[in-house]
Each structure stands twice: as structure tokens, then as C-alpha cells.
Amino acid sequence: MWYAIEGHDGADVLASRMAARPAHVARLTDLRDQGRLLLAGPCPAIDAEDPGPAGFSGSIVIAEFESIEAARAWADADPYVEAGVYTRVDVRPFKPVLP
């Protein structure tokens, strides 16, 4: 089943986010290579493609896991969690409809 994983950034975490980004992206690349990643990306904190020093408000990942518990375990092991970037992570079932 597909799951939406939404990580919410804390305040002033841009430097920590950038330091943990290579490990974060490596995990996403692994999901993609397994055919289990629908989409992933950050949410700019301002209405701009490149938010600069404003940073990001969080990230969204939609990926396939065998259960919600497996999705939560994967989300809990994210390098952004370990680095203190995310203050909260929500995991919900997701049903792709379009396109």
C-alpha cells in the first residue's frame, strides 16, 4: 500500500537539513530504485522555488510499504529525524487516483 509521509521542520534547521541531506536522499534513491517511490520533495517555507535562507517547512514522501508500521519505522529512521530537522512526522495511508 502507498503511504504519505510528511515531515515538519523545526525552526532554524536549514544548516542541519543541508548536512543530513545526502543520507536522506540516498534512502529516497533506494526506494526509487526498488520501484516503491511515487514522489518526494521539500516544501519551501516561502512562495519560491528556491527559498534561500528562509529554508523549508518540511518534506513530503509518498512511497509503498507493506504496512503502516513499516512506513512509520522507515520514517522514524530518517536522517532528518536523527539530525533534529523534523519536529513531527505524520504517516497516513495514501490512495493514488490521478494521473
Side-chain angles (χ1 to χ4, degrees), residues 4-11 13 17 24 41-43 56-61 75 78 80-81 84-92:
I5 300 168
E6 186 173 7
H8 302 268
D9 283 22
V13 296
R17 175 184 262 275
H24 171 80
C43 300
F56 301 90
S57 62
S59 303
I60 297 172
V61 173
D78 194 290
Y80 285 171
V81 172
V85 173
Y86 292 158
T87 59
R88 186 176 100 232
V89 178
D90 299 322
V91 178
R92 298 181 304 276

Side-chain angles (χ1 to χ4, degrees), residues 5-45:
I5 300 168
E6 186 173 7
H8 302 268
D9 283 22
D12 301 317
V13 296
L14 185 56
S16 296
R17 175 184 262 275
M18 298 315 291
R21 186 175 188 277
H24 171 80
V25 171
R27 296 176 80 233
L28 294 170
T29 300
D30 185 47
L31 283 179
R32 182 202 62 198
D33 292 350
Q34 293 176 40
R36 296 172 44 208
L37 182 65
L38 186 62
L39 66 85
C43 300

Side-chain angles (χ1 to χ4, degrees), residues 44-83:
I46 60 172
D47 190 13
E49 181 136 345
D50 180 359
F56 301 90
S57 62
S59 303
I60 297 172
V61 173
I62 299 180
E64 188 175 34
F65 294 92
E66 57 273 7
S67 66
I68 195 165
E69 292 81 14
R72 284 187 180 129
W74 185 89
D76 288 344
D78 194 290
Y80 285 171
V81 172
E82 182 179 328

